PDB file of all heavy atoms in Angstrom:
ATOM      1  N   HIS O  58      -5.512  14.973   7.676  1.00  0.00           N
ATOM      2  CA  HIS O  58      -5.759  16.325   7.163  1.00  0.00           C
ATOM      3  C   HIS O  58      -4.589  17.252   7.474  1.00  0.00           C
ATOM      4  O   HIS O  58      -4.159  18.033   6.619  1.00  0.00           O
ATOM      5  CB  HIS O  58      -7.045  16.902   7.752  1.00  0.00           C
ATOM      6  CG  HIS O  58      -8.287  16.339   7.164  1.00  0.00           C
ATOM      7  ND1 HIS O  58      -8.623  16.468   5.832  1.00  0.00           N
ATOM      8  CD2 HIS O  58      -9.294  15.632   7.727  1.00  0.00           C
ATOM      9  CE1 HIS O  58      -9.774  15.876   5.601  1.00  0.00           C
ATOM     10  NE2 HIS O  58     -10.197  15.342   6.742  1.00  0.00           N
ATOM     11  N   THR O  59      -4.066  17.154   8.676  1.00  0.00           N
ATOM     12  CA  THR O  59      -2.936  17.999   9.052  1.00  0.00           C
ATOM     13  C   THR O  59      -1.708  17.672   8.215  1.00  0.00           C
ATOM     14  O   THR O  59      -1.013  18.567   7.728  1.00  0.00           O
ATOM     15  CB  THR O  59      -2.621  17.854  10.554  1.00  0.00           C
ATOM     16  OG1 THR O  59      -3.803  18.154  11.301  1.00  0.00           O
ATOM     17  CG2 THR O  59      -1.504  18.780  10.969  1.00  0.00           C
ATOM     18  N   GLY O  60      -1.425  16.390   8.032  1.00  0.00           N
ATOM     19  CA  GLY O  60      -0.294  15.994   7.193  1.00  0.00           C
ATOM     20  C   GLY O  60      -0.460  16.477   5.759  1.00  0.00           C
ATOM     21  O   GLY O  60       0.499  16.939   5.129  1.00  0.00           O
ATOM     22  N   ALA O  61      -1.679  16.405   5.237  1.00  0.00           N
ATOM     23  CA  ALA O  61      -1.937  16.880   3.875  1.00  0.00           C
ATOM     24  C   ALA O  61      -1.763  18.391   3.774  1.00  0.00           C
ATOM     25  O   ALA O  61      -1.223  18.892   2.774  1.00  0.00           O
ATOM     26  CB  ALA O  61      -3.346  16.476   3.441  1.00  0.00           C
ATOM     27  N   ARG O  62      -2.194  19.122   4.799  1.00  0.00           N
ATOM     28  CA  ARG O  62      -2.007  20.581   4.777  1.00  0.00           C
ATOM     29  C   ARG O  62      -0.531  20.946   4.849  1.00  0.00           C
ATOM     30  O   ARG O  62      -0.080  21.878   4.189  1.00  0.00           O
ATOM     31  CB  ARG O  62      -2.794  21.225   5.912  1.00  0.00           C
ATOM     32  CG  ARG O  62      -4.277  21.324   5.618  1.00  0.00           C
ATOM     33  CD  ARG O  62      -5.001  22.221   6.600  1.00  0.00           C
ATOM     34  NE  ARG O  62      -4.944  21.743   7.972  1.00  0.00           N
ATOM     35  CZ  ARG O  62      -5.797  20.876   8.504  1.00  0.00           C
ATOM     36  NH1 ARG O  62      -6.772  20.388   7.775  1.00  0.00           N
ATOM     37  NH2 ARG O  62      -5.683  20.495   9.752  1.00  0.00           N
ATOM     38  N   ILE O  63       0.233  20.208   5.643  1.00  0.00           N
ATOM     39  CA  ILE O  63       1.674  20.467   5.721  1.00  0.00           C
ATOM     40  C   ILE O  63       2.316  20.262   4.357  1.00  0.00           C
ATOM     41  O   ILE O  63       3.064  21.109   3.872  1.00  0.00           O
ATOM     42  CB  ILE O  63       2.346  19.560   6.777  1.00  0.00           C
ATOM     43  CG1 ILE O  63       1.936  19.967   8.183  1.00  0.00           C
ATOM     44  CG2 ILE O  63       3.868  19.601   6.638  1.00  0.00           C
ATOM     45  CD1 ILE O  63       2.352  18.985   9.262  1.00  0.00           C
ATOM     46  N   ILE O  64       2.005  19.153   3.726  1.00  0.00           N
ATOM     47  CA  ILE O  64       2.634  18.857   2.435  1.00  0.00           C
ATOM     48  C   ILE O  64       2.137  19.824   1.364  1.00  0.00           C
ATOM     49  O   ILE O  64       2.879  20.162   0.437  1.00  0.00           O
ATOM     50  CB  ILE O  64       2.453  17.378   2.041  1.00  0.00           C
ATOM     51  CG1 ILE O  64       3.605  16.918   1.148  1.00  0.00           C
ATOM     52  CG2 ILE O  64       1.148  17.121   1.373  1.00  0.00           C
ATOM     53  CD1 ILE O  64       4.941  16.898   1.790  1.00  0.00           C
ATOM     54  N   ALA O  65       0.908  20.318   1.480  1.00  0.00           N
ATOM     55  CA  ALA O  65       0.403  21.308   0.530  1.00  0.00           C
ATOM     56  C   ALA O  65       1.203  22.605   0.628  1.00  0.00           C
ATOM     57  O   ALA O  65       1.579  23.203  -0.390  1.00  0.00           O
ATOM     58  CB  ALA O  65      -1.076  21.579   0.771  1.00  0.00           C
ATOM     59  N   GLU O  66       1.485  23.024   1.848  1.00  0.00           N
ATOM     60  CA  GLU O  66       2.266  24.249   2.027  1.00  0.00           C
ATOM     61  C   GLU O  66       3.705  24.059   1.570  1.00  0.00           C
ATOM     62  O   GLU O  66       4.299  24.944   0.957  1.00  0.00           O
ATOM     63  CB  GLU O  66       2.212  24.697   3.483  1.00  0.00           C
ATOM     64  CG  GLU O  66       0.838  25.219   3.870  1.00  0.00           C
ATOM     65  CD  GLU O  66       0.793  25.724   5.291  1.00  0.00           C
ATOM     66  OE1 GLU O  66       1.843  26.136   5.825  1.00  0.00           O
ATOM     67  OE2 GLU O  66      -0.309  25.723   5.871  1.00  0.00           O
ATOM     68  N   VAL O  67       4.270  22.909   1.856  1.00  0.00           N
ATOM     69  CA  VAL O  67       5.642  22.623   1.436  1.00  0.00           C
ATOM     70  C   VAL O  67       5.738  22.543  -0.080  1.00  0.00           C
ATOM     71  O   VAL O  67       6.689  23.042  -0.682  1.00  0.00           O
ATOM     72  CB  VAL O  67       6.133  21.306   2.098  1.00  0.00           C
ATOM     73  CG1 VAL O  67       7.418  20.814   1.477  1.00  0.00           C
ATOM     74  CG2 VAL O  67       6.314  21.517   3.590  1.00  0.00           C
ATOM     75  N   SER O  68       4.727  21.950  -0.712  1.00  0.00           N
ATOM     76  CA  SER O  68       4.734  21.779  -2.165  1.00  0.00           C
ATOM     77  C   SER O  68       4.683  23.107  -2.904  1.00  0.00           C
ATOM     78  O   SER O  68       5.112  23.195  -4.052  1.00  0.00           O
ATOM     79  CB  SER O  68       3.566  20.910  -2.607  1.00  0.00           C
ATOM     80  OG  SER O  68       3.713  19.616  -2.094  1.00  0.00           O
ATOM     81  N   GLU O  69       4.141  24.123  -2.262  1.00  0.00           N
ATOM     82  CA  GLU O  69       4.129  25.444  -2.885  1.00  0.00           C
ATOM     83  C   GLU O  69       5.527  26.035  -2.975  1.00  0.00           C
ATOM     84  O   GLU O  69       5.808  26.834  -3.859  1.00  0.00           O
ATOM     85  CB  GLU O  69       3.215  26.390  -2.113  1.00  0.00           C
ATOM     86  CG  GLU O  69       1.753  26.049  -2.236  1.00  0.00           C
ATOM     87  CD  GLU O  69       0.865  26.972  -1.436  1.00  0.00           C
ATOM     88  OE1 GLU O  69       1.377  27.981  -0.893  1.00  0.00           O
ATOM     89  OE2 GLU O  69      -0.336  26.696  -1.337  1.00  0.00           O
ATOM     90  N   VAL O  70       6.410  25.637  -2.078  1.00  0.00           N
ATOM     91  CA  VAL O  70       7.756  26.193  -2.021  1.00  0.00           C
ATOM     92  C   VAL O  70       8.770  25.297  -2.718  1.00  0.00           C
ATOM     93  O   VAL O  70       9.625  25.769  -3.463  1.00  0.00           O
ATOM     94  CB  VAL O  70       8.178  26.433  -0.549  1.00  0.00           C
ATOM     95  CG1 VAL O  70       9.591  26.961  -0.464  1.00  0.00           C
ATOM     96  CG2 VAL O  70       7.196  27.388   0.122  1.00  0.00           C
ATOM     97  N   ILE O  71       8.685  23.996  -2.470  1.00  0.00           N
ATOM     98  CA  ILE O  71       9.664  23.058  -3.022  1.00  0.00           C
ATOM     99  C   ILE O  71       9.147  22.536  -4.359  1.00  0.00           C
ATOM    100  O   ILE O  71       8.158  21.821  -4.408  1.00  0.00           O
ATOM    101  CB  ILE O  71       9.922  21.884  -2.053  1.00  0.00           C
ATOM    102  CG1 ILE O  71      10.473  22.398  -0.732  1.00  0.00           C
ATOM    103  CG2 ILE O  71      10.900  20.891  -2.679  1.00  0.00           C
ATOM    104  CD1 ILE O  71      10.700  21.317   0.302  1.00  0.00           C
ATOM    105  N   GLN O  72       9.835  22.894  -5.425  1.00  0.00           N
ATOM    106  CA  GLN O  72       9.445  22.458  -6.763  1.00  0.00           C
ATOM    107  C   GLN O  72      10.457  21.490  -7.372  1.00  0.00           C
ATOM    108  O   GLN O  72      10.265  21.003  -8.475  1.00  0.00           O
ATOM    109  CB  GLN O  72       9.292  23.672  -7.684  1.00  0.00           C
ATOM    110  CG  GLN O  72       8.227  24.640  -7.231  1.00  0.00           C
ATOM    111  CD  GLN O  72       6.836  24.043  -7.264  1.00  0.00           C
ATOM    112  OE1 GLN O  72       6.502  23.323  -8.190  1.00  0.00           O
ATOM    113  NE2 GLN O  72       6.028  24.327  -6.259  1.00  0.00           N
TER     114      GLN O  72
END
Side-chain angles (χ1 to χ4, degrees):
H58 285 298
T59 304
R62 283 192 298 274
I63 290 170
I64 208 65
E66 290 183 26
V67 168
S68 295
E69 291 178 8
V70 178
I71 299 178
Q72 299 295 320

